[in-house]
């Protein structure tokens, strides 16, 4: 029997850790992630979960403790956000290098400066090369399910890499949605207790982690093993997701295809704002326009083959990046362009920047994207990246700058 209830995205993340029956939770608060660790702290104090909960003095200490706990053979969960993720950044590479399978939830928040609290994806995408796998969730239900799938994936001996599960701050972290919680006994069958074979503490078999290697050859060997493990994770995710679908009735692929079967035009989006993209697709479909949406769910390893197979042959594709690499544009746009490089039916691609700092994407802005898709489909040159920013937003920002006494050429 399953149970359903209204949960915030943060509560869903905490429930994912609870259902995974984790052993150790090192934690440090940061907005908008704090609700996750408040719930876990409460459950630990009440004896509702057996996990050891420890508040650390910073995200750097928290991630160090998380990696050490996993290297000792414990099933570890922790969570952070934005500047916190960056503060512990060097430890991410260390944990991946140790090949220990913890799960870290990141609640996306735009990076300073200027300071803001709402979501974009420069924080999580900064960690794309650390060796962590990355799963990006759109809904509260997907958060719970992704954490369970993440532990199975991370602990598979063909993978043995940590996993980042991402959800959007405020947009999803504090939004209540109906969530079906699977029974703990069924979860225990899907995700048995962790039995470490690679890294653990045992008196009769001492071992060291993080040994130094001199010369490039040993380093190259171990670093490239992470590439091979990520490649393995592509296939293992599908196997685990199929089993999850059989057990719990919810299917998750590397990418989500929304109304793509006959689509001439495609939006590519990720995380919670993909819901806005799906609403735009439904409005266009009501007008007889053949358009669909590809949602990026697993970002590391990057599912290039699945993306290329889905996008090849379309009239035009717009990649809406909720991030910005200054001087380059959207971070995911070149990765998708690379995936399509060898396709003979490669569609025109538009790079679009939208939703920075949690900025809304209006119906009018989606209409502007479609206008440029039509232009690209008939061979017109469309300058990109395009920034989604309305005239009203421009006027309001100009007013703020005038109040602050700043000259502007905005």
């Amino acid at each position: 029997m399953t149970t359903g209830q209204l949960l915030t995205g943060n509560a869903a993340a905490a429930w994912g850790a609870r259902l995974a029956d984790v052993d150790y939770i090192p934690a440090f608060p940061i907005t908008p992630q704090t609700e996750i660790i408040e719930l876990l702290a409460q459950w630990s104090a009440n004896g509702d979960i057996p996990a050891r909960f420890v508040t650390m003095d910073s995200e750097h200490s928290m991630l160090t403790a998380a990696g050490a706990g996993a290297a000792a053979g414990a099933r570890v969960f922790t969570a952070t956000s934005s500047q916190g993720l960056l503060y512990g950044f060097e430890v991410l590479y260390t944990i991946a290098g140790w090949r220990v399978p913890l799960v870290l939830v990141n609640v996306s928040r735009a990076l300073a400066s200027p300071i803001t609290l709402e979501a974009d994806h420069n924080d999580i995408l900064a960690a794309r090369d650390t060796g962590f796998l990355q799963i990006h969730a759109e809904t509260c239900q997907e958060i719970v399910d992704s954490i369970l799938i993440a532990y199975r994936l991370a602990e598979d001996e063909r993978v043995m890499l940590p996993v980042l599960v991402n959800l959007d701050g405020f947009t999803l972290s504090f939004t209540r949605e109906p969530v079906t919680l699977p029974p703990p006994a069924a979860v225990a069958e899907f995700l048995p207790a962790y039995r470490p074979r690679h890294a653990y503490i045992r008196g009769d078999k001492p071992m060291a982690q993080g040994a130094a290697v001199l010369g490039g050859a040993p380093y190259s060997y171990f670093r490239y093993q992470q590439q091979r493990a990520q490649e393995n994770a592509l296939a293992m995710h599908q196997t685990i997701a199929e089993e999850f679908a059989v057990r719990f009735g919810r299917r998750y692929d590397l990418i989500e295809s929304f109304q793509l079967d006959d689509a001439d035009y495609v939006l590519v989006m990720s995380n919670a704002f993909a819901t806005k993209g799906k609403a735009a697709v439904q409005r266009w479909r009501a007008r007889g326009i053949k358009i669909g949406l590809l949602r990026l769910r697993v970002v590391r390893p990057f599912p290039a083959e699945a993306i290329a197979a889905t996008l090849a042959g379309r009239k035009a594709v717009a990649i809406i990046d909720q991030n910005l690499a200054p001087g380059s544009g959207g971070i995911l746009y070149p990765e998708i362009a690379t995936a399509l490089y060898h396709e003979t039916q490669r569609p025109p691609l538009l790079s679009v920047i939208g939703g920075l700092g949690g900025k809304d994407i209006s119906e009018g802005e989606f209409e502007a994207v479609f206008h440029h898709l039509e232009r690209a489909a008939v061979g017109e040159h469309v300058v990109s990246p395009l920034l989604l920013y309305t005239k009203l937003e421009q006027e309001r920002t100009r007013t703020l700058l005038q109040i602050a006494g700043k000259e502007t050429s905005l």
Side-chain angles (χ1 to χ4, degrees):
M1 180 178 176
T2 57
T3 58
Q5 54 188 289
L6 284 175
L7 295 177
T8 63
N10 281 340
W15 269 103
R18 176 169 174 163
L19 288 167
D21 193 23
V22 299
D23 302 308
Y24 179 46
I25 307 166
F28 190 78
I30 180 171
T31 301
Q33 156 267 31
T34 304
E35 184 188 10
I36 299 174
I37 63 171
E38 286 176 342
L39 276 172
L40 291 169
Q42 178 183 338
W43 290 338
S44 178
N46 293 343
D48 297 325
I49 58 174
R52 176 73 183 274
F53 181 96
V54 180
T55 303
M56 309 301 291
D57 63 2
S58 71
E59 288 88 353
H60 194 283
S61 302
M62 178 191 82
L63 289 170
T64 302
R75 179 174 282 166
V76 178
F77 175 86
T78 190
T80 190
S81 175
S82 187
Q83 312 294 145
L85 183 68
L86 268 59
Y87 186 40
F89 201 71
E90 66 168 332
V91 187
L92 301 182
Y93 282 86
T94 302
I95 294 171
W98 287 351
R99 304 293 300 275
V100 291
L102 60 84
V103 172
L104 166 62
V105 163
N106 181 67
V107 185
S108 268
R109 192 186 95 188
L111 297 165
S113 168
I115 298 171
T116 187
L117 297 177
E118 294 167 277
D120 66 33
H121 304 142
N122 270 96
D123 57 354
I124 182 68
L125 291 177
R128 65 190 184 279
D129 301 330
T130 59
F132 274 62
L133 312 181
Q134 287 196 13
I135 299 174
H136 293 217
E138 180 188 5
T139 66
C140 295
Q141 181 69 64
E142 190 177 356
I143 294 166
V144 177
D145 297 343
S146 295
I147 289 172
L148 301 178
I149 291 172
Y151 276 109
R152 271 287 300 274
L153 194 56
E155 293 171 3
D156 189 287
E157 61 184 0
R158 290 157 286 192
V159 178
M160 294 302 294
L161 283 172
V163 182
L164 267 160
V165 176
N166 192 70
L167 63 131
D168 282 345
F170 287 83
T171 320
L172 194 57
S173 65
F174 299 132
T175 298
R176 291 184 187 275
E177 294 180 336
V179 175
T180 299
L181 296 174
V187 173
E189 291 179 1
F190 172 76
L191 181 65
Y194 177 42
R195 298 283 184 260
R197 297 182 179 179
H198 160 60
Y200 47 82
I201 292 178
R202 208 169 75 193
D204 64 342
K205 193 173 182 180
M207 67 177 74
Q209 291 284 343
V213 291
L214 300 178
Y219 180 85
S220 297
Y221 173 84
F222 287 110
R223 183 68 171 158
Y224 198 72
Q225 288 299 307
Q226 294 180 35
Q227 168 68 17
R228 301 300 297 271
Q230 293 258 354
E231 292 168 358
N232 291 342
L234 284 172
M236 291 314 305
H237 177 277
Q238 296 305 82
T239 300
I240 294 166
E242 286 173 11
E243 182 185 335
F244 189 92
V246 170
R247 287 182 178 273
F248 303 112
R250 294 182 291 278
R251 170 83 194 195
Y252 298 99
D253 286 319
L254 297 164
I255 59 173
E256 179 190 357
S257 298
F258 181 77
Q259 300 198 14
L260 280 175
D261 287 347
D262 63 344
D264 294 325
Y265 305 95
V266 182
L267 301 181
V268 178
M269 300 182 73
S270 68
N271 292 276
F273 269 23
T275 302
K276 292 177 178 289
K278 291 175 180 176
V281 166
Q282 289 174 324
R283 291 194 296 272
W284 285 317
R285 284 279 176 177
R287 288 156 44 189
I289 298 169
K290 293 181 179 180
I291 189 167
L293 183 142
L294 184 158
R295 181 170 68 88
L296 297 168
R297 176 178 139 74
V298 175
V299 173
R300 282 293 182 275
F302 194 68
E305 187 175 330
I307 291 169
T310 302
L311 297 183
R314 311 291 181 174
K315 287 185 177 178
V317 174
I319 297 101
I320 302 181
D321 268 292
Q322 200 177 347
N323 62 75
L324 178 64
S328 177
I331 293 170
L332 295 172
Y333 169 78
E335 298 210 4
I336 290 169
T338 302
L340 285 161
Y341 181 79
H342 294 290
E343 294 293 330
T344 55
Q345 293 184 302
R346 187 170 60 249
L349 301 180
L350 301 183
S351 175
V352 181
I353 309 297
L356 296 181
K359 192 195 91 64
D360 192 21
I361 302 178
S362 66
E363 292 186 15
E365 288 168 297
F366 277 110
E367 290 297 330
V369 171
F370 181 67
H371 168 68
H372 289 299
L373 277 172
E374 287 188 305
R375 290 179 57 212
V378 296
E380 289 188 35
H381 176 64
V382 180
V383 176
S384 66
L386 301 166
L387 174 66
L388 298 182
Y389 205 73
T390 67
K391 185 176 181 180
L392 179 60
E393 289 164 341
Q394 184 179 16
E395 290 172 351
R396 286 175 174 170
T397 301
R398 178 180 287 127
T399 299
L400 288 173
L401 289 168
Q402 289 173 342
I403 292 171
K406 301 292 184 181
E407 295 294 328
T408 175
S409 59
L410 185 72

